[in-house]
Amino acid sequence: MLETIAFSLLNGLLYGMLLFMLSSGLTLIFGMMGVLNFAHASFYMLGAYFAYTVGLVTGFWAALFLAPILVGMIGAAVERFGLRHVHQHGHVPELLFTFGLAYVIDELVSLFWGTVPVPYRMPESLDFTLFTMFGIDYPAFKVFILAVSVVMFVALYILLKKTRAGLIIQGSLSRPDMVSALGHNVPQVFMWVFAIGCALAGLGGVVGGIHLVTEPGMAFLMGPIVFVVVVLGGLGSVPGALIASIVIGVLQTLALSVDFSLAGLFSGIEVSRESFFSTLWYMDSLRLAPVLPFLLLVLTLIFRPRGLMGKREA
Amino acid sequence: MPSRNKPGIVAGALLALSFSLTASAQQSEDPVRIAYIEPLSGAFANVGDAGLKHFRFAADMINQDGGVMGRKFEIVPMDNKQSASESTQLLQRAIDEGIPFVTQGNGSNVAGALIQAVDRNNRRNKDNRVLFLNYAAVDPALTNDQCSFYHFRFDASSDIKLEALTNYMADQKDIKKVFLINQDYSHGHVISELAKKMLKEKRSDIEIVGDVLHPIGQVRDFSPYVARIKQSGADSVISGNWGNDLSLLVRAADNAGLDVDFYTYYGGGLGTPAAVGERGEDSLHQITVWHADVNVDDNLSDYETWFTDFKERHPEIDWYYHQIYNQMYMLKAAIEEAGSTDAVPVAKALEGMTFESPTGTITLREKDHQMIQPMYVSVMDSDAKYDADNSGLGFRTLAKIPAEQATVPTTCDMQRP
């Protein structure tokens, strides 16, 4: 039992940190700027593909920095020439714009790289077993993912809370008129925030593309879950997104690792196998695991609309 | 979202119009159209796209040699987004456009829905019947309880594959504990049930130490499943997973240093070897009707040319669906024998047809329209002549199972028109 719990915690933590890398950018874009960016997971996918292609020339370590910058530049262009014009018409056009953008990016990726997964592998310098626990190896790469996401969190936190730039960003998002009156270029601030958000998603892709499979379906696979993280963590809260990611990661992994069902939890109560509710009663956690994040999303919206650490309601 | 489909509808209408205008003038030069209903977007788009390239290649080869009765084959791609309901709507569209043949293979749930829809149409709409040619959906029910006169399966069904695979596994004395992990839908359920039954009959000493079903196409991180396999002490894993569900599983197993043999249906499947990489060497097995190195092992020089020509045209993927070769040539033969593309005479010609495939004589069993053909058990190996997916690894044959031993009885009670 101890083994199972230790495994689940560790695996859950790793998966959670991967989720955080993906969703921290969306926390900025959706949570702070209020832009419903459906294409966020597509920027994550671009990160993976760029890192693969750039890495062929420069090697992994340079690609780790170059790919997110490239994705960030595309993000800046999207904001400058697309979203900025759409933004003033409200949420619905914005949603449709990013929805379309997601399809366009998907299609372009299939065109350029083909529909078959690309052989994007981890660098040899990280391809070794760091430690072994209860007979299961933990590759150095997984720990590297952990390290990258921690660095990401700290950097983002310091940028927003401790620097002058963070002050201007937060001000531009909540009181654009005031900040503008103080002589700052608010639209440019928006562009930078969007670009940083996209670059963060790209960085998630650089690492996630190795851990998962780099293929054109990867954006669709990750698309919905990032929204769950942002809403659960609370709009605009980076620490909230971190906690929400880890909660989702650990919960999901626990549900997959430990067999339990309502029948098992309340073993005293008997429900007839024929009754309508027996399916739910005897359903084991394995079946439940994939729905758990979305169940959490629904419950959050009902009982705590501002999420774990958010300041305003979703 | 009607507006999104508008250009498609207009284009389709124009296309249909142009066909109807030319139809009367050039009856004999009309192409023989085959609707290809597969996911061309979403999580499984890579699989659907590769199949399309196979069909187009086979059609081009046949067309170059004069086509079928002087007409050309034309493949009409339709994107079903891996949804059964979407597929039946597309089937209706194909019927409305007068397309006589429909092919599909990814997802037995989709195939099952198509069989029902084809049956219903052919019963009600006698002037416009269609044949359903299934190249890869392997749920045994499709040729047992749900069998239909208008459905033909060119791949081996999963019970036949499992029969062949467990025959091989039964001879491997070092297999003691087997873990089953499959996708949670009909195909995965069938494998889980049959593997337990067949292994018990053939090797009662083998212990089934785990049996897990996971949601299809939704699991991002397989490490919790791998932890389960590890804890169960399994030495072998049987999995019917395909696409990313298999790649991610094998990758997670390798990351965790899990040392087990994977016995799979789709280990050589499009994209999987590239995603798995050298982690699969000597551990990733597959049971298939063919693989690239069979050409070398069995000296099939013509078919080797076919393979290399395909590779030249599509360097990013390999010729993988051997059954598409059989399907297209047998369809050509059946149309020529029937002298038309009408469903009933073509179906009668296909029924019981024997065909000289590169791998040997194969037969479309009359009773249930299931192909009976030789099978191969192979394992990933860096010494193979042909790499799968440019991954640096190919497959090495471990055993060839002759057609007579790769068969199981059917319960099909077919209604013939």
Side-chain angles (χ1 to χ4, degrees):
Chain A
M1 195 61 199
L2 183 74
E3 257 179 83
T4 318
I5 290 175
F7 278 141
S8 310
L9 286 180
L10 199 54
N11 278 330
L13 184 69
L14 283 164
Y15 179 49
M17 286 313 234
L18 198 66
L19 279 182
F20 171 71
M21 273 202 265
L22 254 123
S23 41
S24 59
L26 193 67
T27 298
L28 285 182
I29 295 172
F30 175 47
M32 290 186 157
M33 290 170 66
V35 173
L36 263 174
N37 184 13
F38 261 95
H40 191 72
S42 305
F43 287 105
Y44 148 78
M45 174 166 71
L46 280 182
Y49 273 97
F50 284 167
Y52 163 68
T53 310
V54 172
L56 290 179
V57 186
T58 64
F60 173 78
W61 295 103
L64 179 66
F65 294 96
L66 290 176
I69 292 174
L70 277 175
V71 176
M73 276 158 58
I74 293 183
V78 164
E79 205 282 336
R80 175 66 187 80
F81 301 107
L83 265 178
R84 189 174 294 181
H85 304 284
V86 180
H87 191 69
Q88 49 198 316
H89 302 294
H91 271 316
V92 176
E94 207 168 71
L95 188 150
L96 291 175
F97 174 79
T98 53
F99 193 70
L101 187 67
Y103 273 90
V104 171
I105 293 179
D106 259 41
E107 207 51 46
L108 287 176
V109 164
S110 309
L111 271 177
F112 281 108
W113 284 279
T115 50
V116 176
V118 293
Y120 178 32
R121 304 270 158 71
M122 66 177 91
E124 269 172 32
S125 47
L126 285 174
D127 195 2
F128 62 93
T129 302
L130 199 65
F131 63 95
T132 306
M133 193 174 76
F134 302 116
I136 290 198
D137 295 348
Y138 275 87
F141 188 73
K142 277 195 172 182
V143 182
F144 174 70
I145 296 181
L146 209 74
V148 172
S149 50
V150 170
V151 169
M152 204 159 156
F153 171 73
V154 173
L156 204 56
Y157 191 80
I158 291 178
L159 172 77
L160 288 176
K161 295 283 176 192
K162 307 282 177 206
T163 64
R164 202 179 141 75
L167 206 65
I168 297 169
I169 289 175
Q170 291 198 326
S172 310
L173 300 176
S174 51
R175 299 299 300 270
D177 44 345
M178 294 292 281
V179 176
S180 179
L182 287 170
H184 295 287
N185 186 346
V186 173
Q188 202 166 13
V189 172
F190 265 75
M191 187 182 83
W192 282 112
V193 174
F194 194 83
I196 293 172
C198 290
L200 289 177
L203 181 59
V206 177
V207 185
I210 293 179
H211 187 54
L212 306 173
V213 179
T214 304
E215 49 94 32
M218 65 193 289
F220 271 98
L221 202 60
M222 280 299 191
I225 194 95
V226 292
F227 277 93
V228 179
V229 172
V230 172
V231 173
L232 188 62
L235 291 185
S237 167
V238 177
L242 179 75
I243 294 171
S245 307
I246 295 175
V247 164
I248 289 176
V250 170
L251 260 186
Q252 217 170 0
T253 328
L254 261 180
L256 286 175
S257 314
V258 190
D259 281 306
F260 69 90
S261 58
L262 287 177
L265 282 179
F266 307 96
S267 50
I269 310 167
E270 286 290 317
V271 172
S272 146
R273 288 268 170 189
E274 279 82 51
S275 83
F276 184 69
F277 293 105
S278 69
T279 325
L280 199 63
W281 193 252
Y282 291 104
M283 184 163 70
D284 58 12
S285 55
L286 269 178
R287 287 274 176 101
L288 200 65
V291 209
L292 267 180
F294 301 98
L295 191 68
L296 272 179
L297 172 73
V298 172
L299 292 178
T300 311
L301 285 174
I302 295 174
F303 294 109
R304 198 180 159 84
R306 64 193 180 89
L308 291 174
M309 301 183 75
K311 292 182 188 68
R312 52 196 172 85
E313 304 213 330
Chain B
M1 281 166 279
S3 58
R4 222 182 70 203
N5 282 328
K6 214 169 194 175
I9 294 168
V10 174
L14 285 175
L15 207 65
L17 192 70
S18 64
F19 272 123
S20 61
L21 285 177
T22 50
S24 50
Q26 300 167 303
Q27 189 78 46
S28 62
E29 285 176 25
D30 260 5
V32 175
R33 285 183 294 163
I34 302 174
Y36 174 81
I37 301 182
E38 289 288 8
L40 298 169
S41 62
F44 294 115
N46 51 356
V47 184
D49 182 63
L52 178 61
K53 287 176 174 148
H54 278 64
F55 272 104
R56 289 215 158 124
F57 183 78
D60 286 352
M61 290 294 128
I62 293 173
N63 293 343
Q64 272 174 25
D65 290 341
V68 47
M69 295 196 309
R71 296 165 68 183
K72 291 194 182 315
F73 272 124
E74 185 193 326
I75 311 297
V76 183
M78 296 184 170
D79 180 10
N80 70 2
K81 305 179 182 76
Q82 198 53 32
S83 132
S85 61
E86 196 113 6
S87 302
T88 55
Q89 288 169 29
L90 292 172
L91 173 75
Q92 192 54 50
R93 205 163 92 198
I95 292 168
D96 293 344
E97 288 179 24
I99 297 176
F101 305 108
V102 171
T103 193
Q104 181 268 344
N106 288 305
S108 292
N109 52 338
V110 178
L114 280 176
I115 289 181
Q116 281 183 17
V118 164
D119 258 355
R120 197 180 320 122
N121 172 70
N122 291 359
R123 210 166 49 238
R124 292 179 187 164
N125 187 0
K126 290 200 164 56
D127 300 330
N128 201 359
R129 286 168 161 157
V130 284
L131 276 193
F132 173 28
L133 309 170
N134 164 5
Y135 71 93
V138 293
D139 186 343
L142 304 177
T143 47
N144 286 299
D145 304 346
Q146 296 181 38
C147 72
S148 156
F149 178 72
Y150 300 102
H151 165 250
F152 292 86
R153 169 152 58 204
F154 293 82
D155 198 358
S157 62
S158 54
D159 52 347
I160 291 180
K161 284 184 180 173
L162 213 51
E163 172 79 20
L165 186 64
T166 49
N167 280 343
Y168 173 81
M169 289 176 78
D171 292 338
Q172 308 304 309
K173 294 294 170 229
D174 46 348
I175 297 180
K176 301 262 190 288
K177 292 180 171 182
V178 173
F179 193 101
L180 308 171
I181 176 163
N182 287 290
Q183 291 155 327
D184 193 2
Y185 80 115
S186 56
H187 165 66
H189 289 221
V190 165
I191 293 177
S192 146
E193 278 163 35
L194 288 179
K196 278 183 272 189
K197 183 167 149 271
M198 287 178 175
L199 282 176
K200 198 175 177 193
E201 282 166 13
K202 290 171 191 171
R203 277 274 305 274
S204 54
D205 62 312
I206 288 182
E207 197 188 336
I208 306 286
V209 290
D211 179 12
V212 165
L213 296 165
H214 65 80
I216 174 171
Q218 284 176 34
V219 179
R220 295 158 199 94
D221 183 14
F222 271 92
S223 36
Y225 294 101
V226 167
R228 275 179 166 244
I229 298 175
K230 182 84 188 182
Q231 283 172 341
S232 72
D235 52 49
S236 303
V237 172
I238 296 181
S239 175
N241 282 13
W242 48 283
N244 285 335
D245 282 349
L246 181 61
S247 311
L248 289 170
L249 172 66
V250 179
R251 282 186 146 198
D254 181 75
N255 277 336
L258 180 66
D259 183 24
V260 295
D261 283 336
F262 281 90
Y263 288 91
T264 70
Y265 279 44
Y266 302 110
L270 300 152
T272 307
V276 169
E278 58 260 41
R279 302 144 196 234
E281 184 156 25
D282 292 325
S283 76
L284 187 63
H285 298 67
Q286 61 167 354
I287 173 84
T288 49
V289 295
W290 178 84
H291 62 90
D293 268 38
V294 167
N295 289 337
V296 186
D297 303 342
D298 293 6
N299 281 321
L300 312 172
S301 55
D302 284 353
Y303 203 45
E304 199 169 349
T305 315
W306 177 284
F307 176 87
T308 48
D309 285 354
F310 182 80
K311 186 77 184 164
E312 206 165 288
R313 189 185 294 188
H314 302 293
E316 75 283 9
I317 56 170
D318 297 315
W319 180 262
Y320 169 72
Y321 292 113
H322 169 59
Q323 57 270 30
I324 290 178
Y325 173 94
N326 295 332
Q327 177 175 323
M328 291 297 284
Y329 276 98
M330 289 178 82
L331 177 63
K332 171 183 150 74
I335 292 173
E336 282 168 352
E337 191 184 322
S340 84
T341 56
D342 292 341
V344 175
V346 174
K348 284 195 168 138
L350 276 174
E351 256 189 350
M353 180 183 271
T354 57
F355 178 71
E356 285 307 320
S357 174
T359 59
T361 308
I362 59 175
T363 317
L364 259 177
R365 183 159 64 187
E366 191 170 353
K367 200 163 176 235
D368 60 346
H369 297 182
Q370 166 64 48
M371 182 71 85
I372 305 299
Q373 57 195 327
M375 310 268 282
Y376 297 85
V377 178
S378 54
V379 66
M380 231 175 174
D381 187 354
S382 54
D383 290 338
K385 178 168 178 189
Y386 289 108
D387 291 356
D389 287 342
N390 310 322
S391 63
L393 288 105
F395 284 86
R396 166 169 54 92
T397 306
L398 293 173
K400 177 174 181 174
I401 294 117
E404 309 82 62
Q405 285 173 32
T407 171
V408 289
T410 174
T411 59
C412 172
D413 177 22
M414 197 175 284
Q415 306 289 314
R416 289 187 163 75

